[in-house]
Amino acid sequence: MVQDCTEKMSSSMTSSVTGMGLGGITGLTATLNILTCSKEPQITIGGMPSNYVPGISSNYNISSFCQRPGQTQRLPVQRSGPTAQQGSRNSPNTIYAHNLISKLADQNERRRRQDAMEMISLSYYSQAPLKVELTEFYSRDNAKEHHTDQYDLVNATLLANPVLRRGQNFYFAVRFDRAHDKQQDIVRIVFCFGPKPSVTKGTRVVLPVKFDTLQPNAIPHPRDVIGQGIGMSRVQVHETSASVTPAVSMPITSVSPISTVRETAAYGIRRTSISNETVTVNSPLSPPAPQERPVVERFGASQHSFTRSVGSQQGSMQNLAAIAPELDKWDLSILRQDGNTVTFQVRIPVTAPVGVWNCWVQTNRVGQRDNRNDYKCDEEIYILFNPWCKEDPVYLENDTSRKEYIQNEQGKIWCGTWRQPKGRKWIYGQFDDIVLPACMYLLEQSGLEHSERSNPIRVSRAISSMINTNGKNGLMVGRYDGEYKDGIAPHAWTGSVAILERYLTSGGKPVEYGQCWVYSGLVVTICRALGIPCRSVTNYVSAHDTNRTFTIDKFFDKDGNEVPNGPDEDCFDSCWSFHVWNDVWMQRPDLPQGYGGWQIIDSTPQEDSDSVFQCGPASVEAVRRGEVGFQYDTPFMYSQINSELCHFQEDDSSDWGFVKVPSNQNQVGRKIITKAPGKEDDEGETDLLEITSEYKLSESTAAERQSSIAACRGSQRLQQYYENPDRSGEDVAFDLMAMEVIHYGQPFDCTMNIQNKSNEDRTIWCVLTASSCYYTGAIASRLRRAHGEFIVRAGQKEVLKLQVTPQEYMDKLVDHSMVKVHAMAYVKQTSQAWSDEDEFCLNKPNMQVQVRNHPTVGQENGIAFSFQNPLSVHLTDCFFTFEGPGIQRPRQIKFRDVKPNELVNHQDRFVPTRIGDCHVVVTFSSRQIDEVVGSAAVSVRG
């Protein structure tokens, strides 16, 4: 095709060189027209083809007698003799006659068609496609309706990015270089998502602009007033002539003006800062007036509130119910038209993929599709899930729940032990300008298809896989051995923002270091930023069943020492003091009715799922009922809160060498808690909400036993090894006493009570051990151990105590200052065996945080941190970490050495950036003591 066009163009050029007159010159024009419009269907204007050029006859091929440029005319050699032809067509006379008739035909045809040309508007040939001069997405005004006005990206001074929620309308305006021609101008608005946008996959949307469907309430202005200066105060000019209708004013809204100008030359864009002042404007790019939001019933009892203009292309107020299914589609309509400026209303369907979208404005003329202007808007459009929209699977009906699980920027993550839970304040900071970009990059790294990002089930599962670094280049490196010299210790973080910023600015390098509770805080930040309701959940005495027996097996030798990994070194079960995961709220159309609501996702790498370290979403209701056949990873989550903790002691009389030892207190899933919605307690634990009943059926019920049987179904382990021995002949009671609150730096006693209930003396062998341990259950160091044999008289009680001094534990404690106490006993006369264990944390001093005066936006204010050093040694390598949304971005402050038992007091300053109530979180760390944490509520005025 290209070769044919080139030959035709060459022929046309030759005809002009050889003096073939107007026909030759216009031949070149026709050829160029062929090159640009050969694929377009022929369009008739005024009875003539739209691509007609005068001087070219439809029955005349000028290339039949012209030579290529630079060549001479070569005529065949005239033959002589009998075969010679008289009057050869290539003779000079024949060529002259042919040229003459061609020229005469051209002149006649040009005269005949000149009259028709006068009927065609010259604008058809003279005007190029529309060009975009300026776009405005009304980021701040749309954000109010979309509940995204807290995002820093929306409120950026230089370039505000639209942050929108699917299932709602938004507005944007486009200013063209001239008024549009309804008959000839074609405009399309295109939204693209991902590296390979596809219409069929829902990642590319082409919305044609229907200029003839202007809404009845749209207000066309008689003249364009936008040229008086973008970003500066503009006054609308009204015509005084009676022949011109005065401009009608839209409702005036005080907005931040457009702070930049885009100058378009060809397809280039240049930005220039003009103004940052807030003024009241009334112009074609002023935000549209609020629209009435009718309610449409869908899917029976379901209702959906949305914004839609009356009389748009798809329907009006009278038939909104009929067009309800159209709410799942993109829609574009013209809200108003002001000279060269058009304001559009776009509806984002509730099924739109979540992520960063780009907007293009395509313009061309009728019949000239290849001659097209493509304008890419500079703004990146963030589209999020919508918990305010009833049609979105993440919809939350309760406003209190939305404020807590979507909008709350701070919260508590619970650590400690089941007897003494400790809430750790955490700044989620989901509205920080670094968070959404980091979320989008993490989703890209997860490998989740862009077309699947409309499904919160798939998105939340991808999030659980990208927080950890096991198997891929995730967000954070986990470490549990206390060696953090080449990174930052997990307890030194105050929130998620610093972690995400470090990850993004380092080019996606995993951040060091984190643990399950840090992972959980990051998941809350990412989910809430994307619009998925999320909460942090702590399970105390959390099982990690590695062989899928729904048991956690521990083995001990004859002397009461634990046998690591069991006698065959193939048992890697563990029981964590606490484990933190997340619940996300969504409907589950892939499960039977009743299994929606809270779903468990766990970002801490323990077991791979589908060859990836990921977990969930598993229905909380399915876990509660023991329905382990449902997706995703329900059996694993069930085992974490329902497995049986089994202790086995070496015994020569046993056929397999070990016997199961009964226990008083060992129970998996002792307590499951989260932060209570709407409550904040900076000093106590009154904001604790226990949700064990949401995860487990009531104890000692037939229903629980049935669910346990259902969960263990399919296990082929020989259950007789897990049966408790007959305890009817036991006559000695053992009890390991719970520890009271022990302050860091103070001694403590481990106590075991023994009561002989028989009428005879009993000889008892026992062992009592205190060890420092990681919260994963692994032993770090033995602090002290006592064992022996003694006689308990008939009907008498004995008390065993093991005292541990600060000097014995100070340099052996690890994260969370956790101590595990283990006790074992054996009665020689009756062969009664018993075992139990307990854990507790040493209490660190609280940090006192005091804010001076009354903080005001933009004004410097003072803040003070103080605490008492509980140790009789110097504290070295000291530093504070300070953070508060709208108060202070994460900042680390180096501090001098602290003297023994000194009252530490540090003064600092901050400058608030936004109005409202928030919390400040401060941590102190040193080589000798860490996890000194404090927080305070701060109310910032305007």
Side-chain angles (χ1 to χ4, degrees):
M1 177 63 185
V2 174
Q3 183 178 0
D4 295 342
C5 293
T6 304
E7 292 178 357
K8 292 181 180 181
M9 183 173 68
S10 301
S11 301
S12 302
M13 292 174 64
T14 305
S15 67
S16 65
V17 173
T18 55
M20 289 295 98
L22 182 61
I25 297 173
T26 54
L28 176 62
T29 307
T31 303
L32 293 175
N33 194 58
I34 291 173
L35 287 174
T36 58
C37 304
S38 58
K39 295 183 180 180
E40 293 294 326
Q42 192 176 60
I43 300 175
T44 302
I45 301 178
M48 307 301 295
S50 62
N51 59 356
Y52 165 73
V53 179
I56 299 297
S57 173
S58 60
N59 299 319
Y60 178 64
N61 186 1
I62 193 170
S63 65
S64 63
F65 62 90
C66 66
Q67 74 276 6
R68 296 183 181 277
Q71 296 180 347
T72 57
Q73 183 75 24
R74 302 182 62 184
L75 302 177
V77 178
Q78 297 295 324
R79 297 182 179 182
S80 60
T83 60
Q85 297 181 5
Q86 299 295 324
S88 172
R89 61 174 301 203
N90 291 324
S91 66
N93 291 339
T94 302
I95 294 174
Y96 175 80
H98 187 80
N99 290 345
L100 179 61
I101 192 63
S102 297
K103 182 169 63 175
L104 295 175
D106 286 342
Q107 293 173 352
N108 181 69
E109 187 174 344
R110 183 160 57 89
R111 287 192 297 267
R112 298 287 74 82
R113 298 200 176 188
Q114 181 63 34
D115 296 337
M117 287 294 297
E118 293 177 356
M119 301 173 58
I120 302 174
S121 173
L122 294 178
S123 64
Y124 178 80
Y125 295 100
S126 62
Q127 289 194 356
L130 289 166
K131 288 185 179 180
V132 176
E133 292 183 341
L134 179 67
T135 59
E136 171 59 47
F137 277 86
Y138 308 125
S139 297
R140 295 177 180 86
D141 296 276
N142 284 315
K144 295 176 182 178
E145 182 69 16
H146 287 247
H147 305 280
T148 59
D149 51 318
Q150 290 178 276
Y151 285 87
D152 289 347
L153 291 175
V154 170
N155 300 297
T157 303
L158 180 60
L159 177 61
N161 290 102
V163 180
L164 308 170
R165 298 194 188 275
R166 61 186 196 172
Q168 289 186 230
N169 291 357
F170 72 93
Y171 305 95
F172 80 102
V174 179
R175 189 179 73 180
F176 298 101
D177 61 337
R178 60 175 173 81
H180 69 275
D181 185 339
K182 292 183 179 180
Q183 300 299 324
Q184 299 302 319
D185 283 322
I186 296 177
V187 179
R188 301 179 184 90
I189 308 298
V190 182
F191 294 95
C192 298
F193 176 46
K196 295 181 180 179
S198 169
V199 172
T200 56
K201 292 183 178 181
T203 56
R204 183 172 182 265
V205 182
V206 181
L207 302 175
V209 177
K210 307 284 187 181
F211 285 105
D212 56 348
T213 59
L214 187 65
Q215 298 178 12
N217 60 337
I219 303 173
H221 284 249
R223 59 182 293 145
D224 182 14
V225 298
I226 207 169
Q228 299 179 28
I230 305 302
M232 296 175 287
S233 180
R234 297 184 288 273
V235 180
Q236 183 141 343
V237 179
H238 296 265
E239 296 289 345
T240 56
S241 173
S243 61
V244 180
T245 304
V248 182
S249 299
M250 292 291 289
I252 298 176
T253 306
S254 178
V255 298
S256 298
I258 304 170
S259 60
T260 54
V261 170
R262 302 173 192 169
E263 296 181 2
T264 306
Y267 302 107
I269 300 173
R270 180 172 66 85
R271 285 183 166 275
T272 305
S273 179
I274 297 297
S275 173
N276 291 323
E277 297 180 357
T278 302
V279 296
T280 301
V281 297
N282 181 23
S283 75
L285 290 192
S286 296
Q291 302 275 315
E292 183 180 357
R293 306 184 67 196
V295 176
V296 178
E297 291 192 3
R298 297 192 62 195
F299 310 130
S302 178
Q303 291 186 341
H304 174 61
S305 298
F306 69 104
T307 307
R308 184 167 183 84
S309 300
V310 178
S312 62
Q313 182 181 355
Q314 282 75 11
S316 61
M317 291 290 289
Q318 287 73 23
N319 62 352
L320 280 174
I323 60 132
E326 298 297 322
L327 293 175
D328 290 335
K329 299 178 181 179
W330 288 82
D331 178 52
L332 179 140
S333 56
I334 298 176
L335 183 66
R336 73 182 187 195
Q337 196 173 327
D338 311 305
N340 297 355
T341 302
V342 181
T343 303
F344 298 101
Q345 175 181 271
V346 179
R347 183 183 67 241
I348 307 173
V350 76
T351 55
V354 168
V356 182
W357 289 71
N358 292 307
C359 179
W360 294 74
V361 182
Q362 295 180 351
T363 59
N364 66 280
R365 303 279 286 176
V366 173
Q368 301 180 30
R369 188 180 182 91
D370 292 340
N371 182 21
R372 188 180 74 193
N373 288 337
D374 288 337
Y375 179 89
K376 182 180 180 181
C377 302
D378 287 355
E379 292 84 355
E380 291 184 327
I381 305 170
Y382 290 84
I383 296 180
L384 312 178
F385 292 105
N386 192 351
W388 282 266
C389 176
K390 292 185 178 180
E391 302 303 326
D392 199 305
V394 302
Y395 171 70
L396 264 178
E397 182 177 5
N398 187 282
D399 187 60
T400 301
S401 297
R402 286 194 294 260
K403 288 180 179 178
E404 178 67 35
Y405 302 126
I406 289 292
Q407 296 177 301
N408 196 354
E409 294 181 84
Q410 57 267 327
K412 270 189 179 179
I413 302 174
W414 299 91
C415 303
T417 63
W418 70 274
R419 283 196 179 94
Q420 300 176 22
K422 292 184 178 180
R424 171 72 181 267
K425 268 289 184 180
W426 191 263
I427 301 297
Y428 299 124
Q430 64 267 31
F431 303 126
D432 191 273
D433 59 6
I434 200 67
V435 173
L436 273 181
C439 293
M440 300 310 164
Y441 183 75
L442 283 168
L443 285 178
E444 293 300 322
Q445 291 293 96
S446 72
L448 181 65
E449 291 289 338
H450 290 77
S451 58
E452 294 183 342
R453 298 183 193 180
S454 61
N455 186 347
I457 299 173
R458 301 293 297 164
V459 171
S460 61
R461 186 164 174 80
I463 291 171
S464 76
S465 72
M466 284 308 300
I467 302 301
N468 65 79
T469 57
N470 282 29
K472 60 174 63 178
N473 191 25
L475 171 59
M476 202 166 205
V477 179
R479 193 154 192 170
Y480 303 88
D481 58 5
E483 297 295 331
Y484 311 121
K485 294 181 180 179
D486 55 343
I488 296 178
H491 54 257
W493 302 109
T494 55
S496 304
V497 173
I499 299 171
L500 293 169
E501 185 167 25
R502 182 175 294 232
Y503 174 74
L504 203 61
T505 55
S506 66
K509 181 181 177 181
V511 180
E512 300 170 333
Y513 291 100
Q515 293 174 354
C516 73
W517 54 280
V518 179
Y519 291 154
S520 178
L522 289 165
V523 169
V524 171
T525 299
I526 294 171
C527 287
R528 290 185 183 180
L530 294 176
I532 302 175
C534 184
R535 67 185 183 183
S536 178
V537 174
T538 300
N539 175 38
Y540 288 101
V541 191
S542 185
H544 180 196
D545 175 23
T546 59
N547 51 12
R548 301 180 181 178
T549 61
F550 295 93
T551 62
I552 305 302
D553 303 332
K554 288 187 177 183
F555 295 87
F556 300 88
D557 61 18
K558 294 179 180 179
D559 297 327
N561 299 312
E562 186 173 351
V563 180
N565 303 329
D568 300 323
E569 298 186 354
D570 63 348
C571 179
F572 303 99
D573 293 349
S574 62
C575 196
W576 294 23
S577 303
F578 67 89
H579 179 48
V580 189
W581 60 66
N582 297 88
D583 284 348
V584 289
W585 180 274
M586 64 185 68
Q587 298 304 312
R588 290 297 298 271
D590 58 324
L591 300 181
Q593 187 176 3
Y595 291 92
W598 288 118
Q599 312 290 313
I600 309 167
I601 60 174
D602 190 353
S603 59
T604 301
Q606 296 187 68
E607 296 287 334
D608 65 284
S609 175
D610 298 332
S611 302
V612 178
F613 280 93
Q614 58 188 354
C615 184
S619 169
V620 171
E621 181 62 20
V623 170
R624 190 181 74 88
R625 297 182 184 182
E627 300 287 352
V628 297
F630 294 141
Q631 294 277 34
Y632 292 88
D633 308 304
T634 306
F636 180 76
M637 294 309 305
Y638 180 89
S639 71
Q640 290 200 69
I641 61 175
N642 289 288
S643 290
E644 183 182 2
L645 187 57
C646 298
H647 285 187
F648 296 93
Q649 187 177 21
E650 190 176 7
D651 189 344
D652 293 337
S653 63
S654 170
D655 294 334
W656 67 293
F658 287 85
V659 294
K660 185 179 179 184
V661 181
S663 172
N664 291 1
Q665 314 237 8
N666 294 333
Q667 179 185 341
V668 172
R670 290 300 297 261
K671 182 181 290 187
I672 304 174
I673 62 175
T674 187
K675 178 186 173 299
K679 293 184 178 180
E680 301 288 346
D681 189 345
D682 292 305
E683 298 181 357
E685 315 299 343
T686 60
D687 49 357
L688 181 151
L689 175 65
E690 183 172 356
I691 55 173
T692 309
S693 60
E694 295 183 29
Y695 276 82
K696 303 178 69 173
L697 295 171
S698 300
E699 296 183 16
S700 301
T701 64
E704 182 184 24
R705 289 192 293 272
Q706 291 298 323
S707 68
S708 298
I709 293 172
C712 294
R713 191 173 298 155
S715 174
Q716 300 301 317
R717 294 291 296 265
L718 300 177
Q719 293 298 318
Q720 64 265 27
Y721 293 134
Y722 295 95
E723 293 177 357
N724 288 321
D726 185 11
R727 305 185 65 176
S728 59
E730 296 179 354
D731 51 18
V732 179
F734 301 93
D735 186 18
L736 181 63
M737 300 299 293
M739 299 296 297
E740 300 295 332
V741 175
I742 307 298
H743 294 286
Y744 195 87
Q746 299 296 318
F748 61 86
D749 293 332
C750 305
T751 305
M752 182 173 70
N753 292 332
I754 305 173
Q755 182 179 6
N756 184 359
K757 299 180 180 180
S758 70
N759 297 324
E760 301 176 359
D761 295 347
R762 294 289 183 246
T763 302
I764 298 174
W765 173 89
C766 67
V767 58
L768 191 59
T769 306
S771 305
S772 66
C773 68
Y774 299 98
Y775 81 97
T776 59
I779 300 298
S781 298
R782 178 179 291 175
L783 302 180
R784 196 171 181 189
R785 182 177 187 268
H787 67 281
E789 184 176 294
F790 54 92
I791 297 175
V792 180
R793 302 298 179 184
Q796 298 297 312
K797 295 181 180 180
E798 292 289 344
V799 177
L800 268 65
K801 287 189 178 182
L802 180 67
Q803 187 177 65
V804 181
T805 66
Q807 291 73 24
E808 290 175 308
Y809 69 73
M810 193 67 68
D811 58 345
K812 296 179 181 179
L813 294 178
V814 291
D815 296 346
H816 304 283
S817 301
M818 192 167 288
V819 176
K820 175 175 288 188
V821 180
H822 180 254
M824 293 191 73
Y826 180 75
V827 181
K828 287 192 173 182
Q829 287 83 358
T830 61
S831 298
Q832 176 186 348
W834 171 86
S835 174
D836 204 356
E837 63 182 37
D838 194 18
E839 295 168 338
F840 66 95
C841 295
L842 295 172
N843 278 14
K844 301 284 183 67
N846 291 328
M847 175 89 66
Q848 299 297 320
V849 181
Q850 292 182 335
V851 178
R852 311 296 187 190
N853 305 322
H854 298 285
T856 303
V857 171
Q859 296 183 12
E860 193 176 73
N861 200 80
I863 188 170
F865 320 137
S866 62
F867 72 96
Q868 181 81 44
N869 178 11
L871 305 181
S872 58
V873 298
H874 282 79
L875 306 182
T876 59
D877 296 336
C878 306
F879 64 90
F880 291 93
T881 305
F882 169 34
E883 178 181 1
I887 295 290
Q888 173 66 57
R889 302 196 83 252
R891 182 162 63 95
Q892 193 175 96
I893 307 165
K894 290 186 178 181
F895 195 68
R896 58 173 174 80
D897 291 353
V898 176
K899 297 177 182 180
N901 303 116
E902 178 187 352
L903 177 61
V904 180
N905 198 321
H906 174 69
Q907 306 287 331
D908 213 297
R909 309 194 73 80
F910 65 91
V911 179
T913 58
R914 68 177 188 226
I915 302 173
D917 297 331
C918 71
H919 281 74
V920 173
V921 176
V922 185
T923 65
F924 174 85
S925 297
S926 69
R927 186 181 297 274
Q928 293 74 22
I929 188 173
D930 49 36
E931 297 183 274
V932 180
V933 184
S935 62
V938 180
S939 181
V940 180
R941 301 181 300 186

